[in-house]
Amino acid sequence: MAFTLPDDLAPELYPLAWLAGTWRGYGILTYGETVPEQAVYQEMTFDHDGGPYLRQTTTIWTVDATRSKNLDFEMPGLQGASLLAPAQIWSTETTYWRPVGQEQPDGADAAETTEATADAENSGGPLTPVTRLELVSADPAGHVAVWEGWIQGPRAQVGTQAVGRARTAVPVEEMTRMFGLVGGDLMWTQDMAAFGQSEVTTYASGRLGRVDDLDDPAAQPGSALDPVDAAEPASDDAEPTV
């Protein structure tokens, strides 16, 4: 299904419009000895209220390994989600994305030039502008963060400029995230330095498919499992880890 520009979207958000909507899929969590590698169910929603910003809500669930099926990590996001039975909420976060200006890529932006821009340069076509971003995020585990980065075509990259935490929250020193639209799916990764570790290390990744109809049974987690095994996300939240 072709993507339709959301109604009442502020013009400043046109470079971010491909993110708008609800995405569901699967991913991996891992962080050394602190977080054992595991498959997870994920949901992201990017919405707006007509203002010049997007609101992103992200929720990650652990899965019931006894009821979920094995994943092929090359499969589309919605197909993978249909094989998972969510167990408990692992983490949730709300983030606001705000574009703060555009510029044409040049030699100074070589490190940020995407393949699409490189192809345009080689063909003599127009270059895709780089839109600068500022983000703020908060989670119920006691963290707030300010991010800066960019979006260019169907790719975005952001990193924290400051991370604050409540007195009892797990120390998080730095985080970086990358997003991309690949084969119609939203792919994303997060690296971070946390739990007393100073080196930035892979923490999370995901592959999510756009949900065109939120009531479609086929778009629900666990929809490909036997009826007795299918499961909606747990309603009682687990303590978020990060």
Side-chain angles (χ1 to χ4, degrees), residues 51-165:
Y53 49 83
L54 283 183
R55 177 180 61 182
Q56 174 193 1
T57 54
T58 302
T59 307
I60 298 175
W61 285 262
T62 61
V63 299
D64 186 336
T66 66
R67 297 155 64 194
S68 301
K69 294 184 178 180
N70 292 333
L71 296 177
D72 173 357
F73 288 93
E74 297 299 321
M75 66 176 51
L78 289 177
Q79 182 182 354
S82 73
L83 301 177
L84 298 178
Q88 291 184 312
I89 290 178
W90 172 271
S91 66
T92 183
E93 180 188 276
T94 298
T95 305
Y96 288 90
W97 294 55
R98 186 167 63 95
V100 292
Q102 278 192 348
E103 58 192 55
Q104 290 296 329
D106 55 27
D109 295 307
E112 298 177 354
T113 300
T114 66
E115 292 178 5
T117 298
D119 291 342
E121 289 174 333
N122 294 334
S123 65
L127 302 182
T128 302
V130 175
T131 300
R132 298 293 172 182
L133 301 171
E134 293 178 352
L135 287 67
V136 292
S137 65
D139 67 52
H143 303 96
V144 294
V146 176
W147 309 66
E148 292 182 355
W150 54 268
I151 188 167
Q152 184 185 31
R155 300 187 183 185
Q157 182 173 326
V158 296
T160 52
Q161 301 303 303
V163 181
R165 67 182 180 97

Side-chain angles (χ1 to χ4, degrees), residues 226-239:
D226 294 334
V228 67
D229 291 333
E232 291 295 326
S235 58
D236 48 306
D237 298 358
E239 180 72 18

Side-chain angles (χ1 to χ4, degrees), residues 44 97 147 150 155-159 176-180 186-191 204 206:
M44 288 186 184
W97 294 55
W147 309 66
W150 54 268
R155 300 187 183 185
Q157 182 173 326
V158 296
T176 62
R177 291 175 182 167
M178 297 182 66
F179 300 81
L186 175 61
M187 310 279 280
W188 77 283
T189 62
Q190 174 174 318
D191 296 347

